[in-house]
Amino acid sequence: MVMRKRLGMITPSSNSVLEPVTSAMLHGVADVTAHFSRFRVTEIALDAAALSQFDASVMLPAADLLADAKVDAIAWNGTSASWLGIGRDRNLCEAITARTGVPATTSTLACIDAARALGAKRVGLVSPYTDDVQRRIAEVWTEEGIAPRAERHLGLRDNFSFGEVAPATIAGMIRAVAAEGSDAIVILCTNLDGAALAASLERELDIAVLDSVAVTLWRTLSLAGGDIAALAEWGRIFQTMSAIK
C-alpha cells in the first residue's frame, strides 16, 4: 500500500502565491498533500524591523502546529536566508527537527541544492526585491560558492505586492537574465507567480528555470520520501534523480 505523504509548509502571512501554486502542482498527484502554517511577514528590507520578522522564535511555533498534522517533512517556504545568511536556515532546520522529529528544509536551501543537483555553473537570479536586498543576496550566495552571473529585480518592498506581479513580467526578466549567459535561473521569491512558466521557458531558452515555490516542493517531497518524478511536467528539477538526501 502506498503511504500518504504530508508536507508541512511554513508560510509568510502576506504571501498569496505559494499555497495555490503548491496545491495546483499537487493536483492529480496521488497520496501527497500540503499543509500550511503562517506567521507574520509584511515587507522585505534590511532595516531592523523587517529583519526581526524572521526570528526563529516566531517561526518555530508554526512548525509545532504542522507537526500536529503528522507531516513527513517541513519547509520554511521563504527565501529570507538569502539576505540574512545561509547559516540562519541551517540552524532553523536543526531546531525544527530537534523540536518535532521531522526533517526540515527551506526555500533558499532548496534552491541551492537544486542548482547543485543540476550542475549549474552560471546561475542568474530574478527577484522582486530592492537594490540593497538584491546586492546582499548576491553576497550571501557568493559566500555559498554560487556567485550570480546576472540578475534582474523589481525594487519592491511590500511583500503582498510581489504576488501581484504579472507572469509576463517575470518571464521577461528571465529572458533578459538568460541572454547574459546563465545556464540556470532562480526565481528567488515564494510570492512570485513563476512556477507555471518554468517548463515552457526551459524549452524555449534551453536552460534550467528554478522557481522557489516549485523547488521547495521538490526538496520537501524528497525529504518525505515521495516520488518527485510525479511532478516531471513542472520542469527539469523534477526529472533529476539527484535530489540531495
Side-chain angles (χ1 to χ4, degrees):
M1 182 178 70
V2 176
M3 296 296 294
R4 180 181 177 190
K5 300 297 183 184
R6 299 179 181 87
L7 311 179
M9 304 292 184
I10 302 173
T11 306
S13 61
S14 53
N15 187 309
S16 63
V17 168
L18 77 86
E19 288 170 301
V21 168
T22 301
S23 297
M25 293 182 71
L26 290 175
H27 180 71
V29 178
D31 300 307
V32 180
T33 56
H35 308 272
F36 304 90
S37 184
R38 290 179 178 249
F39 74 100
R40 187 169 298 282
V41 176
T42 60
E43 61 180 350
I44 302 302
L46 298 183
D47 59 77
L51 296 178
S52 68
Q53 297 172 115
F54 302 103
D55 190 271
S57 66
V58 298
M59 300 171 77
L60 290 172
D64 293 338
L65 296 177
L66 290 168
D68 289 347
K70 308 297 183 186
V71 295
D72 298 287
I74 293 173
W76 154 224
N77 211 319
T79 56
S80 56
S82 288
W83 55 91
L84 288 170
I86 304 301
R88 288 284 291 266
D89 270 6
R90 293 193 175 112
N91 290 339
L92 176 65
C93 291
E94 290 175 2
I96 289 171
T97 301
R99 287 167 72 106
T100 67
V102 178
T105 189
T106 75
S107 297
T108 293
L109 295 178
C111 287
I112 290 170
D113 287 346
R116 289 173 173 162
L118 291 172
K121 304 299 183 185
R122 303 183 305 278
V123 174
L125 297 179
V126 166
S127 92
Y129 305 128
T130 55
D131 294 349
D132 56 346
V133 171
Q134 192 79 345
R135 285 193 297 270
R136 179 59 184 150
I137 290 169
E139 293 168 358
V140 169
W141 278 59
T142 298
E143 290 167 1
E144 194 64 18
I146 303 176
R149 182 183 182 92
E151 62 85 18
R152 292 293 188 279
H153 61 283
L154 294 171
L156 302 176
R157 176 177 176 134
D158 171 55
N159 194 65
F160 178 80
S161 71
F162 304 165
E164 301 294 287
V165 176
T169 298
I170 301 168
M173 296 166 73
I174 291 169
R175 291 187 179 101
V177 171
E180 296 187 28
S182 299
D183 58 11
I185 295 175
V186 177
I187 305 172
L188 190 69
C189 176
T190 63
N191 202 23
L192 279 182
D193 194 7
L197 302 171
S200 62
L201 285 173
E202 286 179 337
R203 291 189 294 270
E204 174 190 333
L205 301 170
D206 193 25
I207 58 171
V209 177
L210 300 173
D211 173 76
S212 292
V213 175
V215 170
T216 304
L217 178 56
W218 164 79
R219 184 68 183 106
T220 310
L221 184 57
S222 177
L223 278 178
D227 179 17
I228 62 172
L231 295 164
E233 68 184 276
W234 290 89
R236 291 184 185 180
I237 191 58
F238 295 102
Q239 299 162 24
T240 177
M241 296 296 103
S242 301
I244 297 178
K245 301 299 183 182

